[in-house]
Amino acid sequence: MMRLVVFCLMFIVLVGCVGDKPRPKGTVETIPLQITNVSKDVVEVISQQQNHSLNVKHHVREQDVYIECFIPNFFFKEKGGSKVNGEGHIIVYIDGKKVNDMYTAAFMVKGLDKGIHEMTVEVVHNDSTSYNLKKTWDVTIQ
């Protein structure tokens, strides 16, 4: 947990040192991260049909949500190509709308508006067909 806090602080300092371009209000941005930290906050979702599982951990800080997805025996690949079991990417949805395709296990959603938002991550094959691994939860931005 301490590593995550230190990483987040370093990230904020580094991002703060770069000139931030203004974004239109209501713009949501996802940023890949590389974090390895498992704690008691991990939620496990197991598919009955396949041998894959999805563990998701999230942390809300101000208007940003840090998300870590643990998928054993899974390799992240760019969209496209032939369907290979154990390869693919994650699709991120906010309030039921697709926001982005993510090709890393950890990423950050930045700039959410105040209020309650429904977040969903879905694991898909290279051809965007579902693994039937999906996790949905609510976050509150204050």
Side-chain angles (χ1 to χ4, degrees), residues 70-100:
F70 301 97
I71 311 164
N73 303 315
F74 185 82
F75 298 96
F76 285 89
K77 297 283 183 170
E78 294 287 327
K79 187 180 350 181
S82 60
K83 180 177 178 178
V84 177
N85 194 30
E87 292 183 357
H89 60 281
I90 293 173
I91 300 177
V92 181
Y93 299 90
I94 299 176
D95 298 328
K97 297 178 184 174
K98 180 178 174 180
V99 175
N100 207 348

Side-chain angles (χ1 to χ4, degrees), residues 31-49:
I31 300 173
L33 299 176
Q34 191 170 10
I35 301 171
T36 54
N37 184 15
V38 180
S39 73
K40 62 184 176 184
D41 296 327
V42 173
V43 177
E44 183 173 348
V45 176
I46 299 176
S47 171
Q48 298 290 337
Q49 298 174 346

Side-chain angles (χ1 to χ4, degrees), residues 24-126:
K25 190 171 183 168
T27 300
V28 176
E29 179 181 3
T30 54
I31 300 173
L33 299 176
Q34 191 170 10
I35 301 171
T36 54
N37 184 15
V38 180
S39 73
K40 62 184 176 184
D41 296 327
V42 173
V43 177
E44 183 173 348
V45 176
I46 299 176
S47 171
Q48 298 290 337
Q49 298 174 346
Q50 300 185 16
N51 294 329
H52 295 287
S53 64
L54 169 63
N55 301 312
V56 178
K57 179 182 175 185
H58 73 279
H59 175 73
V60 179
R61 174 174 272 158
E62 296 177 8
Q63 291 182 286
D64 305 333
V65 181
Y66 301 86
I67 302 170
E68 298 175 82
C69 299
F70 301 97
I71 311 164
N73 303 315
F74 185 82
F75 298 96
F76 285 89
K77 297 283 183 170
E78 294 287 327
K79 187 180 350 181
S82 60
K83 180 177 178 178
V84 177
N85 194 30
E87 292 183 357
H89 60 281
I90 293 173
I91 300 177
V92 181
Y93 299 90
I94 299 176
D95 298 328
K97 297 178 184 174
K98 180 178 174 180
V99 175
N100 207 348
D101 294 314
M102 297 306 299
Y103 305 100
T104 61
F107 53 94
M108 182 172 45
V109 177
K110 292 182 70 171
L112 288 173
D113 292 331
K114 291 182 180 183
I116 299 173
H117 299 279
E118 179 184 81
M119 301 195 72
T120 302
V121 292
E122 179 180 15
V123 182
V124 296
H125 292 276
N126 299 344

